[in-house]
Amino acid sequence: MKHFDELLPELGQIIAEDFRDTKIDWLTIFTGYSQLFDAIYDALSLPNEAQDKASGVLEEFIKLRQKGEWVIPNEVASRIMDIVRGYERLRELITQMTQKMLDSFAATYPDLGSFYNIFSDFAYIMDSVAKIFSHQDEEAISKSLDVLESFLQGEKRWWELKAELKKIISELEESSKEAERKFSNLSPPPLAFPMNG
Amino acid sequence: MEKLEDILPELGRIFAHDLEKFKDDWFDVLYNYMAVFDKLFYIVGVENPDLEKSMAIFSHPDIDIVSEAEEVLEAFIQGKESREGLKYRLGRIVDQFQ
């Protein structure tokens, strides 16, 4: 996977080509790429995991454009912004979550049994959130953050939160298994031209 | 030397602070702390079914091990030990009696 510092010069070339292309009007180029640059700038303030995801989206865009396919930069910008917004919400919710854990620790201390139960629940939830964030599915990520938020607002109990996160993970695992099955069932595409043609 | 009950709130504060910084390999930071808490629970005897649930944190029979863990935690809080180092050294202590 390439990082932003390798991708940006390649992006620069694509932008230069777009400017040379008289079929595209300048305003489209300006607005599209300025949105994309804003999104990249926001992604750079995020942890490495999030930056890798965002640079993955940019890399995909560059590859498609290098193959001659037309993809509008606004679309890429909005995909990167979805990633940025997901991590920004995560930062806010995890801060609240950590505080809740520390408060619960303080309230039950020195009862080690409660201490351990609180920690196990917290660890389970964090582990689930990390698993969900490791997938590229922004919809599942946003669903998991909604559940976390409703827990923090007191609308859900610990066990409900755990059960709902578990359900999101099993759905993600099921859909990635499904994708793998589809992929392995595909026969290799016929060659367009004979090899020794 | 400070007791574990004085050290733990401080550890909690550093933990919350590191998570709020939200930089670098963020999930790794989270996992390091989770591993640290997990090992601490083991060291103070929570995993031991013979011990009462409501037992005070220092009543673990193997007081040497608790003191060793306290030293490591203190070094971490004073900035003399890294997060990775804390996890590793607590892991070593757990290995001694596993």
Side-chain angles (χ1 to χ4, degrees):
Chain A
M1 184 191 275
K2 288 182 182 173
H3 200 252
F4 282 122
D5 47 4
E6 290 171 274
L7 292 170
L8 287 175
E10 293 182 30
L11 180 66
Q13 281 180 8
I14 291 170
I15 297 173
E17 280 164 29
D18 282 358
F19 273 121
R20 276 195 290 268
D21 188 338
T22 48
K23 288 192 293 297
I24 314 169
D25 75 282
W26 279 32
L27 193 65
T28 311
I29 302 173
F30 274 131
T31 52
Y33 286 110
S34 67
Q35 277 181 29
L36 182 56
F37 278 115
D38 279 348
I40 293 171
Y41 184 77
D42 286 347
L44 288 174
S45 67
L46 296 176
N48 294 344
E49 298 98 348
Q51 288 189 33
D52 288 347
K53 267 193 183 183
S55 62
V57 172
L58 184 64
E59 192 175 0
E60 207 180 293
F61 166 76
I62 290 171
K63 272 187 193 153
L64 287 171
R65 289 298 308 269
Q66 284 169 343
K67 275 197 268 173
E69 288 181 42
W70 173 249
V71 185
I72 50 167
N74 310 54
E75 204 177 292
V76 189
S78 92
R79 277 182 65 195
I80 294 180
M81 277 317 289
D82 281 348
I83 295 171
V84 171
R85 275 191 284 269
Y87 273 86
E88 278 174 352
R89 266 185 87 193
L90 176 72
R91 181 204 328 236
E92 200 187 309
L93 295 177
I94 295 300
T95 306
Q96 291 178 37
M97 200 60 197
T98 316
Q99 197 51 54
K100 193 180 173 79
M101 181 187 77
L102 295 175
D103 290 347
S104 312
F105 273 0
T108 54
Y109 193 84
D111 176 5
L112 274 185
S114 317
F115 210 43
Y116 189 68
N117 289 338
I118 295 162
F119 170 73
S120 313
D121 282 340
F122 180 83
Y124 182 91
I125 288 160
M126 291 303 111
D127 195 41
S128 305
V129 171
K131 267 190 199 141
I132 295 168
F133 266 77
S134 72
H135 285 83
Q136 300 289 338
D137 192 330
E138 294 308 312
E139 206 178 309
I141 287 173
S142 135
K143 207 164 136 192
S144 70
L145 294 172
D146 289 344
V147 181
L148 204 58
E149 198 167 18
S150 58
F151 167 75
L152 286 164
Q153 286 165 356
E155 290 159 16
K156 278 190 203 308
R157 312 287 295 272
W158 281 101
W159 64 267
E160 287 175 304
L161 171 63
K162 284 162 71 176
E164 290 193 32
L165 291 176
K166 193 176 174 188
K167 196 166 156 242
I168 296 173
I169 292 173
S170 56
E171 281 167 6
L172 279 171
E173 281 168 355
E174 196 48 49
S175 63
S176 53
K177 260 189 232 156
E178 188 62 33
E180 254 172 52
R181 265 200 296 275
K182 269 189 196 155
F183 187 73
S184 61
N185 285 340
L186 288 176
S187 50
L191 291 172
F193 302 101
M195 290 289 272
N196 302 316
Chain B
M1 183 171 61
E2 282 184 78
K3 291 278 185 195
L4 199 53
E5 57 195 347
D6 298 320
I7 296 173
L8 277 178
E10 189 65 7
L11 179 70
R13 200 185 56 75
I14 298 173
F15 168 61
H17 176 75
D18 278 358
L19 283 186
E20 272 174 57
K21 271 196 297 192
F22 206 67
K23 279 305 284 175
D24 308 324
D25 293 311
W26 192 76
F27 281 118
D28 281 352
V29 174
L30 188 65
Y31 278 124
N32 276 345
Y33 279 108
M34 289 190 339
V36 166
F37 277 116
D38 207 32
K39 288 176 174 59
L40 277 179
F41 283 120
Y42 196 95
I43 290 166
V44 296
V46 172
E47 299 276 14
N48 188 336
D50 300 332
L51 299 174
E52 287 281 326
K53 255 190 156 188
S54 59
M55 184 195 77
I57 210 156
F58 288 103
S59 56
H60 189 283
D62 200 342
I63 204 73
D64 284 350
I65 278 168
V66 176
S67 311
E68 214 178 319
E70 282 172 355
E71 272 171 39
V72 180
L73 280 169
E74 222 173 4
F76 170 73
I77 284 167
Q78 288 165 0
K80 292 177 195 156
E81 186 59 86
S82 68
R83 201 162 47 219
E84 279 287 342
L86 170 65
K87 189 180 74 170
Y88 175 77
R89 286 179 62 188
L90 287 178
R92 288 282 298 271
I93 298 171
V94 170
D95 287 347
Q96 285 172 31
F97 62 109
Q98 249 179 355

